Amino acid sequence: CSGSLRKKNNFHQINKTKTKGMETHVKPNIKQVGDRLLWTNWAEIHTCSPQSFHQPSTIEEIQALLKKARSEDQHVRFVGAGHSPNEIACTSGYMINLDLFNRVLEINEEDMTIKIEAGMRIAELNAILAKHGMALSNLGSISDQSIAGALATGTHGTGINFGIMASSVLAISVLDANGKFITASLTENPEIFGPLQCSLGALGAIVHVTIQCEPAFKLKVTTETLGFEETLEHLPKLIRSSEHFKFLWFPHTKRCTLWRADRTSDPISTHVPTAPFFEKFFNYHLLEFVYWISLYIPFIVTLINKFWQWTMYESGSSERVDISPKVFNFDCLFKQYVSEIAIPASKTAEAMQDIERLIEEKRFRAHFPIEIRFAHSDSIPMSPAYGRDTCYIGIIAYKPYGQEPEYKHYFDEYQKLMHKYGGRSHWAKIFEADLPSLTSQYPMISTFLKAKKELDPNGLFENEYQKRIFAEVETSN
């Protein structure tokens, strides 16, 4: 294969060759430790020791790896950026990274579609589309992920009239557990197309993706501060006040920051409101330092949140114009635990009041921000937005300098509270599977399990993450 790390006789054989046309390559977070391989996710929360690590660059190489894994009775998992804070990518078998499998296969500027190999990172796709006057209609907070990874986990942006990223996918090609190449769309193999749009890595190796794009566009983004109660009171109107709306709440304060973005023909802003050096120092290095101090003096979390909210947003509303990826994406700062749960959009105000009450009554020292985003309903069986306009509520606990915060009780209580509202956890974030709830909250889960049985009857692509979610459901079915 184009690149591999493999255990053999207590040592590793390393073989890498340069892929034609490949000038840059994001280095996977895997290293050799003694006689084993060690992979770590971005937040350094989960590690695993795969039996081998591979970077194929062709479909034939991927098929050969699947065949070899079957012959050795090994499981297979695919990994991209490793940005998920949970264990979805972990395996003790074959770990396959598709960074070298990232070519453009077709691009149609008239129909605004692009077909790519699924290892391409979203940031690279954004750059390619821009050269052709095209863009993705919506993006999440970062573009580090591979396309396959973003689809597998239900990655989303914000905008009540915009679905999750998978909603823009027109066709998906996959290699099943036997290496068979299958293409699915609304008209070809439609019974597996929906499951493949949000597959959790359980249905095979996603190799090709065709995406509906739109003409490249600029966004005018405005931010303003509003009181917590006032925000919730006017929320039904606010959600639809712009194409892309979200708001941030700073726990331990009564203030929210409203964020709106709309397509515009205005020129790109040239004024930079804050010097980049100061921005990096203040909102990264200084913030990490004071949150580190809060590990030993917990009560100052309240003061930190109030000070940063006042400093960052109380100076009044702001406005800027830029190309869409630069508006949709932002710096996620330092390493963190994140839990995000999707509820019906109509329940947002009630849920937020309960979250504020929970934090105050339990005296949780909640880091900022709590981010509230929105998505249009879809028909993707395992999408958290299935069948309902959706609100995603994300909570966070930073790991300053890699130190562990006290987060588990806070996260557990938050997740229990969200079940009251029919909460569905983001598949890439931290959650505990509630299997009876999972069965009731995903009406089309049987469709997904049927596709899983068809494409991976012997569990080649399984790992502990999947067993945690599906074992009891599959038994009951």
Side-chain angles (χ1 to χ4, degrees), residues 97-240:
N97 172 272
L98 296 181
D99 280 349
L100 303 180
F101 187 72
N102 65 342
R103 299 168 183 81
V104 175
L105 302 175
E106 296 175 14
I107 189 160
N108 188 321
E109 295 180 13
E110 183 176 345
D111 293 337
M112 290 285 148
T113 61
I114 187 170
K115 182 178 180 181
I116 58 172
E117 292 178 333
M120 183 178 290
R121 300 294 178 103
I122 298 174
E124 186 178 5
L125 175 59
N126 289 338
I128 291 169
L129 290 174
K131 292 178 181 179
H132 292 269
M134 298 163 63
L136 298 176
S137 296
N138 204 0
L139 287 170
S141 301
I142 62 171
S143 290
D144 298 330
Q145 314 100 310
S146 67
I147 290 296
L151 298 184
T153 55
T155 295
H156 65 95
T158 194
I160 198 64
N161 294 317
F162 293 82
I164 66 173
M165 288 188 68
S167 299
S168 297
V169 171
L170 301 176
I172 299 174
S173 296
V174 64
L175 299 179
D176 69 8
N178 291 314
K180 181 181 177 182
F181 182 90
I182 304 170
T183 297
S185 67
L186 288 175
T187 57
E188 184 179 4
N189 297 308
E191 70 282 358
I192 63 171
F193 178 57
L196 283 171
Q197 285 178 285
C198 184
S199 70
L200 284 69
L203 306 182
I206 294 177
V207 288
H208 295 164
V209 180
T210 303
I211 306 171
Q212 181 66 60
C213 306
E214 65 174 278
F217 58 95
K218 294 174 289 184
L219 288 168
K220 177 185 288 186
V221 58
T222 60
T223 60
E224 64 175 304
T225 300
L226 203 62
F228 182 76
E229 297 297 341
E230 190 176 358
T231 299
L232 300 186
E233 179 184 352
H234 298 290
L235 198 54
K237 183 182 293 186
L238 289 171
I239 291 172
R240 300 183 183 279

Side-chain angles (χ1 to χ4, degrees), residues 119-403:
M120 183 178 290
R121 300 294 178 103
I122 298 174
E124 186 178 5
L125 175 59
N126 289 338
I128 291 169
L129 290 174
K131 292 178 181 179
H132 292 269
M134 298 163 63
L136 298 176
S137 296
N138 204 0
L139 287 170
S141 301
I142 62 171
S143 290
D144 298 330
Q145 314 100 310
S146 67
I147 290 296
L151 298 184
T153 55
T155 295
H156 65 95
T158 194
I160 198 64
N161 294 317
F162 293 82
I164 66 173
M165 288 188 68
S167 299
S168 297
V169 171
L170 301 176
I172 299 174
S173 296
V174 64
L175 299 179
D176 69 8
N178 291 314
K180 181 181 177 182
F181 182 90
I182 304 170
T183 297
S185 67
L186 288 175
T187 57
E188 184 179 4
N189 297 308
E191 70 282 358
I192 63 171
F193 178 57
L196 283 171
Q197 285 178 285
C198 184
S199 70
L200 284 69
L203 306 182
I206 294 177
V207 288
H208 295 164
V209 180
T210 303
I211 306 171
Q212 181 66 60
C213 306
E214 65 174 278
F217 58 95
K218 294 174 289 184
L219 288 168
K220 177 185 288 186
V221 58
T222 60
T223 60
E224 64 175 304
T225 300
L226 203 62
F228 182 76
E229 297 297 341
E230 190 176 358
T231 299
L232 300 186
E233 179 184 352
H234 298 290
L235 198 54
K237 183 182 293 186
L238 289 171
I239 291 172
R240 300 183 183 279
S241 64
S242 67
E243 292 177 284
H244 304 275
F245 171 81
K246 67 179 177 181
F247 71 98
L248 311 176
W249 176 50
F250 287 66
H252 312 297
T253 80
K254 284 288 187 178
R255 308 297 281 171
C256 294
T257 295
L258 312 185
W259 186 97
R260 297 182 179 94
D262 292 281
R263 284 155 180 76
T264 183
S265 59
D266 290 354
I268 292 175
S269 302
T270 55
H271 172 66
V272 180
T274 307
F277 172 79
F278 178 79
E279 178 82 13
K280 186 72 172 180
F281 170 77
F282 185 79
N283 287 331
Y284 187 103
H285 297 294
L286 183 59
L287 182 61
E288 183 173 26
F289 177 69
V290 294
Y291 267 140
W292 174 74
I293 293 175
S294 75
L295 298 179
Y296 307 97
I297 313 174
F299 78 86
I300 70 169
V301 167
T302 299
L303 302 177
I304 293 170
N305 290 9
K306 289 180 177 179
F307 178 75
W308 251 262
Q309 187 278 325
W310 176 80
T311 304
M312 292 170 64
Y313 296 108
E314 285 296 340
S315 59
S317 61
S318 67
E319 181 181 290
R320 72 181 176 95
V321 175
D322 213 329
I323 60 173
S324 56
K326 290 187 177 181
V327 172
F328 286 133
N329 290 168
F330 65 89
D331 189 348
C332 286
L333 302 179
F334 35 94
K335 300 182 189 307
Q336 57 203 237
Y337 291 91
V338 183
S339 181
E340 186 176 47
I341 297 181
I343 63 172
S346 61
K347 300 291 186 181
T348 305
E350 186 181 349
M352 288 303 300
Q353 289 170 334
D354 279 352
I355 292 171
E356 182 192 36
R357 192 176 303 115
L358 174 71
I359 289 172
E360 295 308 313
E361 289 179 357
K362 298 286 186 178
R363 295 189 173 185
F364 292 132
R365 307 298 184 181
H367 293 174
F368 78 80
I370 290 181
E371 185 179 32
I372 301 90
R373 296 183 284 174
F374 301 91
H376 191 57
S377 65
D378 62 48
S379 58
I380 300 170
M382 297 306 290
S383 165
Y386 176 86
R388 65 193 191 190
D389 284 347
T390 294
C391 166
Y392 288 84
I393 302 176
I395 65 173
I396 194 166
Y398 293 111
K399 296 178 60 182
Y401 307 122
Q403 299 299 304

